[in-house]
Every structure is written in C-alpha cells, then in structure tokens.
Amino acid sequence: MSPALPADDVITVTDVARSFGPRVLFRHVGFVVHRGEILVILGGSGCGKSTLLRMLMGLLEPTEGRIEVLGVDIATADTALRTRVGVMFQMGALFGSMTLLENVMLPLEMHTDLPPAARRSVALTKLGLVGLADAAALMPAEISGGMAKRAAIARALALDPPLLFLDEPSAGLDPITSAGLDRLILDLRRDLGISFVVVTHELESIRTIADRCIMLDKAAQGMIAEGDPRTLGETSEHPIVRAFFRREAAGDAR
C-alpha cells in the first residue's frame, strides 16, 4: 500500500539555492504546492525553470536548502518516490520503437508485478483518459505533436501518481491543440485530484490552467513574484513581472 499523502502540501521548498561551480543560478527560493493545485513555474530564458523542475523530480540536488516531495526529503529519497510522481518531458520523449500502448505499459512492466493482460488493460485505460484509445497501436512517428504530448501524459499516469510534472507541455503546438491540452490538464485535476507542477512560458496556458504561479528571474537570481497569474501583472510592483504578463520588451521593463 502506498504511503499516505500529506494532508495539504505535496511539495515544500525551503530556502533553496542552486549553483554550478561559481555561477549562482538562483538562491532563497521557497514555496509550497498544495494538494490538488496546479502551480506554474515561469520566467525568462536562463532563469532556472527547468533546473528547478529537475530538482523537484530528484534529478538534481539543491546546493542549499531543503525540498520535500510527498512528505519525503528529496535528498534522502529512494526509487520508491519516483513511482509516486509522473513526468511528461518536453516534446514527449516517447520511445520511437514502441507503439503508444507499449510506451504506456513500460512503467507498469518496470515497477509492478501485474500480469501482461492487466498491464495492457491499465495502459488502454490511461490512453482513454487522454483521448487516444483508438491510437494505441500507432507508433510515435505516425502521430501529431499534440497526440505525442497526450501519450506522454498517459505514460506519466500509468502508476496512478498523485503528482505530475509537465515540462513545456504546450511548446510547439498550434493554439487549438494547445487549448485542448490545457483542458485535458484541468479535467485530470478535476477527475483524479492530481496536483501539477508545470513549466511553461505560454501566457494563454498560464492564465487558463494555473491556480498560482511563481516567477524566477535570471538577473535577480531567484524568485521575484508569486500569485494568481490572472492578476499578477497588474498587482506586482516588479517591472519584469509586469513586462512578462504584458508582453513588453525587457529593455522597456528595466
């Protein structure tokens, strides 16, 4: 039986810093992710969004500070924690030699003792959740970019994780496909109670899916804002935050 979930917060980040040699990427970063919440990490290029996401996944350790995911200190976490979170990497990262069904079955083969028929049934169910039940036999090369993102989410859902990490889910998608993916994320949160941490710079997606966002800034080497993305551009006193949400040039903001 899986460990009980924290009552309120699925992620707690406390005074975290990350350096690469003498170069400080960010410092004094702190926030929480509430159970059932969609939190978006945003900011300009090079500010550390993807690095912070990899730290939350346990792929990188903080230089300073503490990160707890599902009640576990990420510094001491074992592989069991990774079976309780799902990840959708940028561009999907599907295995090209496997069908969509086989891609979704892979985590079940690696981490469960389910018989083949049960693994197939679970995988088909996950593909159905993302609207791809009829595409199970297709190869990644035979599907669109939007379908690849949905298949990657289905694979991330294979082990029924309470927490999903999505890296640039709307990147490279047309507006209609991107809007459909936003709706899928909201539906999964509503139907399954999943918490999401999403890295994206797509303003329409941010305003559609995010309950709350945090913003990193390269020059500030840390967080410069936290709040509701639908109002943050008007309420923040930081010029970079206002510029981001108004799509102004950086030179004008500074």
Side-chain angles (χ1 to χ4, degrees), residues 213-228:
C213 66
I214 64 168
M215 186 168 184
L216 304 179
D217 181 64
K218 183 177 180 179
Q221 296 181 331
M223 278 177 57
I224 58 173
E226 179 178 1
D228 186 334

Side-chain angles (χ1 to χ4, degrees), residues 55-218:
M55 291 166 65
L56 298 177
M57 295 175 192
L59 301 179
L60 283 175
E61 293 185 6
T63 306
E64 299 176 8
R66 178 184 176 93
I67 298 174
E68 290 187 3
V69 176
L70 301 176
V72 178
D73 186 341
I74 206 73
T76 61
D78 57 18
T79 56
L81 178 63
R82 294 195 177 97
T83 68
R84 301 182 64 216
V85 301
V87 180
M88 192 216 81
F89 295 100
Q90 193 172 151
M91 308 311 296
L94 298 174
F95 291 99
S97 60
M98 298 179 176
T99 66
L100 300 192
L101 180 64
E102 290 167 340
N103 265 278
V104 179
M105 288 175 63
L106 186 59
L108 297 164
E109 294 171 358
M110 294 177 63
H111 298 292
T112 76
D113 296 324
L114 292 174
R119 295 198 298 265
R120 178 182 175 85
S121 177
V122 171
L124 284 171
T125 298
K126 303 309 180 187
L127 285 168
L129 284 174
V130 302
L132 292 178
D134 294 337
L138 296 180
M139 306 296 287
E142 299 177 299
I143 62 176
S144 67
M147 292 172 71
K149 298 290 185 77
R150 287 174 175 264
I153 291 176
R155 185 176 61 187
L157 290 170
L159 299 175
D160 295 320
L163 174 63
L164 256 61
F165 296 110
L166 308 182
D167 190 7
E168 297 285 2
S170 300
L173 301 182
D174 65 83
I176 294 175
T177 303
S178 180
L181 193 62
D182 290 342
R183 173 48 54 191
L184 172 63
I185 293 168
L186 291 170
D187 288 347
L188 291 173
R189 190 265 297 273
R190 181 198 64 207
D191 296 340
L192 303 178
I194 296 172
S195 309
F196 287 87
V197 177
V198 183
V199 166
T200 184
H201 62 275
E202 303 285 346
L203 276 175
E204 286 303 314
S205 289
I206 293 166
R207 292 185 173 119
T208 299
I209 66 173
D211 297 305
R212 191 163 46 91
C213 66
I214 64 168
M215 186 168 184
L216 304 179
D217 181 64
K218 183 177 180 179

Side-chain angles (χ1 to χ4, degrees), residues 16-89:
V16 160
R18 179 66 204 191
S19 300
F20 293 93
R23 183 172 70 92
V24 176
L25 186 58
F26 51 72
R27 65 183 82 194
H28 304 307
V29 171
F31 60 92
V32 299
V33 180
H34 306 304
R35 189 174 181 182
E37 182 179 39
I38 300 175
L39 180 101
V40 170
I41 302 171
L42 53 89
S45 298
C47 68
K49 300 186 301 294
S50 293
T51 296
L52 179 57
L53 189 67
R54 288 196 293 270
M55 291 166 65
L56 298 177
M57 295 175 192
L59 301 179
L60 283 175
E61 293 185 6
T63 306
E64 299 176 8
R66 178 184 176 93
I67 298 174
E68 290 187 3
V69 176
L70 301 176
V72 178
D73 186 341
I74 206 73
T76 61
D78 57 18
T79 56
L81 178 63
R82 294 195 177 97
T83 68
R84 301 182 64 216
V85 301
V87 180
M88 192 216 81
F89 295 100

